[in-house]
């Protein structure tokens, strides 16, 4: 099954964040609740966590601005 990992909202009025760094690479096997990346906004830096274990496919490059709720990566469980 393919799980889409979406960008969480760091606050009510924030519509876009920067995907600062990935801590994994495409093809890596990740564990449930593992930190995948860091996202930054004007107000906070938050981790992007894996909702399930599986093989990751990164869709958004580091340093790119991305809208809240956009799909950042996919995990093939």
């Amino acid at each position: 099954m393919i799980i889409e990992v979406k960008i969480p909202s760091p606050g009510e009025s924030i519509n876009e964040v920067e995907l600062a760094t990935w801590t994994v690479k495409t093809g890596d096997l990740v564990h449930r609740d593992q930190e995948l990346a860091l996202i930054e906004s004007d107000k906070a830096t938050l981790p992007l966590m894996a909702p399930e274990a599986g093989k990751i496919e990164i869709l958004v490059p580091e340093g790119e601005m991305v809208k809240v709720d956009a799909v950042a990566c996919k995990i093939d469980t």
Side-chain angles (χ1 to χ4, degrees):
M1 183 165 73
I2 303 293
I3 305 288
E4 293 182 336
V5 181
K6 296 184 178 183
I7 300 292
S9 175
E12 277 186 35
S13 63
I14 298 173
N15 299 327
E16 195 172 56
V17 296
E18 178 183 354
L19 202 146
T21 55
W22 284 101
T23 57
V24 294
K25 303 183 304 277
T26 290
D28 284 355
L29 294 177
V30 297
H31 305 284
R32 183 184 179 119
D33 296 327
Q34 178 178 343
E35 183 178 292
L36 304 175
L38 291 175
I39 57 172
E40 294 181 351
S41 71
D42 294 340
K43 299 182 182 189
T45 299
L46 300 171
L48 183 64
M49 307 301 283
E52 296 291 337
K55 189 176 188 180
I56 190 165
E57 177 188 356
I58 294 172
L59 303 175
V60 177
E62 283 185 6
E64 188 166 302
M65 295 301 289
V66 61
K67 297 212 178 284
V68 169
D69 288 332
V71 178
C73 62
K74 295 179 182 180
I75 298 175
D76 186 351
T77 61

